[in-house]
Amino acid sequence: MNTTAAQFPYPWQRCKIVHLVRHGQAMHNVEGDINREALLSPHLFDAELSPLGLHQVGKLRKNVHASGLLKRIELVITSPLYRTMQTAFGVFGSTESNEDAGVNCPQIMAVELCRDRMGVRPCDMRRRVSQCQALFPSIDFSMMDGEEDSMWNPDFRESEEEMAARMGLLMNWLWTRPEKEIVIVSHGIMLQHILYRLGNDCHPSVRTALCKRFDNCELRSVVIVDKSSMEADSQLR
């Protein structure tokens, strides 16, 4: 028997299925690919999706509906930046089209913890909450930290260590939620930090494949296990 290939069962109540989605192509992606200095331009404030990005969102929406995934999703968590909210609502939100007939779309909640790397670049600064609510009235903004964006600093860029710590807080908060199947719509670098954290238990070859860079509007699914509570239980025995 090859014990290195053994599989270990975990209680379902300690597991969640998480679907990670990077936003569709946004205008700062387009201009940044041409000239990285463009990312410092004020006209890219809270960048919106490009025409290609909107097409990517429509394609992913069709796939999510056709696969039956939409019916299983209990909660969608999105970064409060415009491009991610466009993606979250465009893929998982309820519209007046015939394809939504009889389908209960999941709640979409904006959460500051899963926003993009903060500071310096205007494209990563969010709008006022009241503006976001006017644009996306069906999204729940009750988790927001305030009307203004107090987290974005024009002079300092968030460090890798700070981003990793923020994703740790996000994952800890995720375990307080009752939902078992959740979508996180966020940004490439933030989704990679989530997977770096989760990939510590994987074989190096699996971790490399798991943590590769996200394409725009890519959906990647993982099963996560709350081992902290399992360890606490074992210590009580």
Side-chain angles (χ1 to χ4, degrees):
M1 178 180 177
N2 182 5
T3 57
T4 60
Q7 302 296 308
F8 300 95
Y10 295 103
W12 176 241
Q13 64 268 27
R14 302 287 171 79
C15 301
K16 291 183 187 290
I17 300 174
V18 179
H19 305 280
L20 306 173
V21 178
R22 185 188 176 195
H23 61 79
Q25 185 196 65
M27 292 309 301
H28 74 299
N29 298 133
V30 176
E31 299 202 21
D33 285 345
I34 299 171
N35 177 13
R36 298 299 290 176
E37 293 299 316
L39 297 175
L40 300 176
S41 173
H43 88 273
L44 287 175
F45 166 76
D46 196 10
E48 63 183 29
L49 294 181
S50 68
L52 175 58
L54 292 170
H55 175 75
Q56 291 169 334
V57 166
K59 183 177 179 180
L60 182 57
R61 181 182 181 86
K62 290 180 180 178
N63 292 340
V64 165
H65 275 257
S67 67
L69 175 60
L70 186 67
K71 297 178 182 178
R72 305 200 309 267
I73 298 301
E74 299 171 77
L75 176 68
V76 176
I77 298 166
T78 180
S79 156
L81 296 187
Y82 191 44
R83 54 191 178 271
T84 38
M85 293 192 294
Q86 281 183 292
T87 303
F89 181 77
V91 175
F92 302 100
S94 177
T95 68
E96 296 180 356
S97 65
N98 291 332
E99 69 176 356
D100 289 339
V103 176
N104 292 322
C105 292
Q107 176 189 16
I108 304 176
M109 177 183 292
V111 177
E112 296 266 32
L113 285 172
C114 64
R115 61 186 291 180
D116 208 348
R117 187 175 190 173
M118 293 182 289
V120 180
R121 295 176 179 175
C123 57
D124 300 328
M125 185 178 185
R126 70 161 171 82
R127 299 160 198 248
R128 293 184 178 94
V129 171
S130 57
Q131 293 176 307
C132 295
Q133 289 173 322
L135 290 165
F136 301 97
S138 64
I139 293 181
D140 179 358
F141 292 95
S142 61
M143 289 287 296
M144 298 298 290
D145 291 339
E147 170 73 356
E148 303 291 339
D149 186 358
S150 61
M151 299 175 69
W152 186 86
N153 190 313
D155 302 313
F156 297 99
R157 190 83 168 142
E158 191 175 19
S159 69
E160 293 282 345
E161 293 76 17
E162 289 170 328
M163 285 190 292
R166 179 154 60 87
M167 289 305 96
L169 291 175
L170 175 65
M171 297 310 293
N172 289 341
W173 174 78
L174 205 66
W175 283 114
T176 70
R177 298 293 309 182
E179 298 86 3
K180 301 293 289 183
E181 194 153 355
I182 298 173
V183 173
I184 300 176
V185 182
S186 187
H187 310 265
I189 191 170
M190 309 315 298
L191 297 175
Q192 281 185 291
H193 271 287
I194 291 175
L195 291 176
Y196 290 151
R197 181 180 180 87
L198 298 175
N200 289 331
D201 291 337
C202 298
H203 186 276
S205 62
V206 175
R207 189 174 192 269
T208 299
L210 184 69
C211 300
K212 67 180 182 179
R213 179 178 172 83
F214 275 75
D215 291 329
N216 285 117
C217 230
E218 178 184 353
L219 185 153
R220 203 175 297 176
S221 304
V222 294
V223 176
I224 62 174
V225 181
D226 183 10
K227 292 185 177 180
S228 62
S229 58
M230 294 170 65
E231 292 170 358
D233 286 350
S234 66
Q235 292 172 1
L236 294 174
R237 291 172 186 167

